[in-house]
Amino acid sequence: MSHETISQSISIVHPISLSHGKNAEVWDTSGKRYIDFVGGIGVLNLGHCHPGVVEAIRDQATRLTHYAFNAAPHAPYVELMDRLTAFIPVDYPISGMLTNSGAEAAENALKIVRGATGRTAVIAFDGAFHGRTLATLNLNGKVAPYKQKVGVLPGPVYHLPYPSADNGVTCAEALKAMDRLFSVEIDVSDVACFIIEPVQGEGGFIALDIEFAQALRRFCNENDILLIADEIQSGFGRTGERFAFSRLGIEPDLILLGKSIAGGVPLGAVVGRKALMDNLPKGGLGGTYSGNPIACAAALATLDAMTDEHLSAWGSQQEEAIVSRYQTWRAHGLTPYLGRLTGVGSMRGIELANADGTPAPKQLTQLLGLARDAGLLLMPSGKSRHIIRLLAPLTIEPAVLEEGLTMLEACLKQLD
């Protein structure tokens, strides 16, 4: 298939052309079947063509395909926001707005915190990824390729080390860096917000240190700084819970949502403390396509499927299978390149590293090709592109999950 009419600035991981999919399996246009451990980069927690989502889309498409909510409200938007805000596990009054994507949710959150605080500075973290729009680029904790050739970015934005047992950065080190930042770089009274992923996605499925998260929450409270949790990839059951911030014992002020919110249909949201969400003037928030009726219907069907019982069972199944296999591989010395298992719950990454602990991105690139040839689709991540992020649908059949892990095992054995 020719890609001449598509921008060459779009990077493609797997040079195949997909035709159709069902739950955790996809087929290309030649009829070859693959087990999908990419899941649309975290969009398909309910798998490809989940029956409830498909039915909701079909039903809504016969009644109302679009209306701009800011022109005239429609029922799916209202119902979804009622259901969605009830789904968020926080104790304070909450409201929000729907967007077209996670990056758009982040953009709107920046407007909201500026309006609420009168401040502009943002603190983000090394290894972060919050989007590819111009403002979100500067939040990302990585230059190549996102910040290259685009000039001066909106700011001011400052970055701190991201503390995690998965990357060796301690809570004490991160707090020391924060103390230095406010001693040398910026007055704390100029900071509008911190933005942080409870588990980094693009960064390699790195789980935030709990002690640091709680210290950060206290620091924000003491200094009238808002805390934004980016749950775009970690949310909607990816870790086995509704949202990953729950394991940290904190409540953020704003939460960014996207990816698996609507079973594959483009949708995002920013939700949070009602007083924050209501602070901008009328017309300050909105969008032509934001909260499209079909996307809202898909999201409502998604919430129907994501009961706590389902999320817990799905998460436990994946976590147990992945951790068990990984431990067996380590015990038997499957490959000298097998590094750490990162992440929490079913949101897991597998690091490829050299004997001295340095990243092994060449071996990961080789693994992507080997696995694809075998019928398994994998997704890279990490600062050095050396961590496999496992994003199989939460609904994957146990036999298919085991088949995919067996394929991965065979491919790991073949690494040069």
Side-chain angles (χ1 to χ4, degrees), residues 74-384:
H74 54 81
Y77 192 118
V78 175
E79 183 181 356
L80 176 57
M81 288 308 304
D82 287 345
R83 291 274 307 279
L84 185 60
T85 52
F87 189 71
I88 308 293
V90 294
D91 290 334
Y92 52 75
I94 191 172
S95 68
M97 66 166 293
L98 298 175
T99 65
N100 296 299
S101 67
E104 190 179 310
E107 289 266 359
N108 279 281
L110 294 178
K111 291 195 301 185
I112 291 163
V113 297
R114 284 188 176 204
T117 66
R119 307 172 185 177
T120 58
V122 179
I123 311 298
F125 289 82
D126 297 351
F129 182 84
H130 300 288
R132 288 186 174 88
T133 58
L134 201 62
T136 57
L137 284 182
N138 211 12
L139 302 177
N140 295 344
K142 181 180 179 181
V143 171
Y146 309 116
K147 302 181 186 181
Q148 294 174 321
K149 298 184 70 174
V150 293
V152 177
L153 295 169
V157 176
Y158 301 85
H159 288 84
L160 291 173
Y162 183 92
S164 170
D166 296 322
N167 63 10
V169 177
T170 68
C171 173
E173 289 170 336
L175 291 174
K176 183 178 180 180
M178 189 163 74
D179 181 66
R180 180 210 166 272
L181 179 69
F182 295 127
S183 297
V184 177
E185 301 287 348
I186 183 173
D187 190 325
V188 68
S189 63
D190 292 333
V191 176
C193 67
F194 284 79
I195 181 169
I196 196 161
E197 297 161 277
V199 183
Q200 287 191 340
E202 174 79 5
F205 283 11
I206 309 299
L208 184 63
D209 180 272
I210 294 175
E211 181 185 359
F212 177 81
Q214 296 179 359
L216 180 60
R217 178 69 273 183
R218 290 192 298 271
F219 182 86
C220 289
N221 291 344
E222 292 164 0
N223 292 280
D224 296 322
I225 297 172
L226 300 178
L227 179 59
I228 302 174
D230 182 338
E231 290 269 9
I232 294 166
Q233 190 163 159
S234 59
F236 293 97
R238 189 69 255 172
T239 64
E241 301 181 65
R242 297 183 192 182
F243 298 97
F245 71 79
S246 295
R247 64 173 282 274
L248 300 173
I250 64 168
E251 290 186 345
D253 300 301
L254 293 173
I255 305 160
L256 310 182
L257 307 175
K259 289 195 180 286
S260 279
I261 189 174
V265 181
L267 189 68
V270 53
V271 299
R273 297 184 185 277
K274 183 168 175 54
L276 296 176
M277 293 299 309
D278 295 346
N279 88 85
L280 291 176
K282 291 284 188 181
L285 299 177
T288 302
Y289 284 100
S290 304
N292 169 272
I294 293 176
C296 289
L300 286 165
T302 296
L303 291 179
D304 286 341
M306 287 189 172
T307 64
D308 288 334
E309 292 78 13
H310 282 161
L311 295 180
S312 178
W314 294 334
S316 295
Q317 172 198 326
Q318 270 202 40
E319 180 180 18
E320 290 168 8
I322 293 167
V323 173
S324 175
R325 280 298 186 101
Y326 171 82
Q327 290 174 343
T328 299
W329 297 339
R330 289 285 285 185
H332 292 86
L334 182 69
T335 171
Y337 295 106
L338 187 64
R340 293 172 292 187
L341 183 69
T342 64
V344 294
S346 55
M347 189 172 180
R348 296 288 182 165
I350 298 176
E351 179 189 52
L352 295 188
N354 298 302
D356 61 1
T358 57
K362 291 183 180 179
Q363 280 67 33
L364 190 141
T365 298
Q366 182 191 9
L367 180 65
L368 294 177
L370 289 170
R372 182 173 60 248
D373 291 344
L376 174 67
L377 298 181
L378 300 173
M379 191 70 191
S381 65
K383 181 179 180 180
S384 300

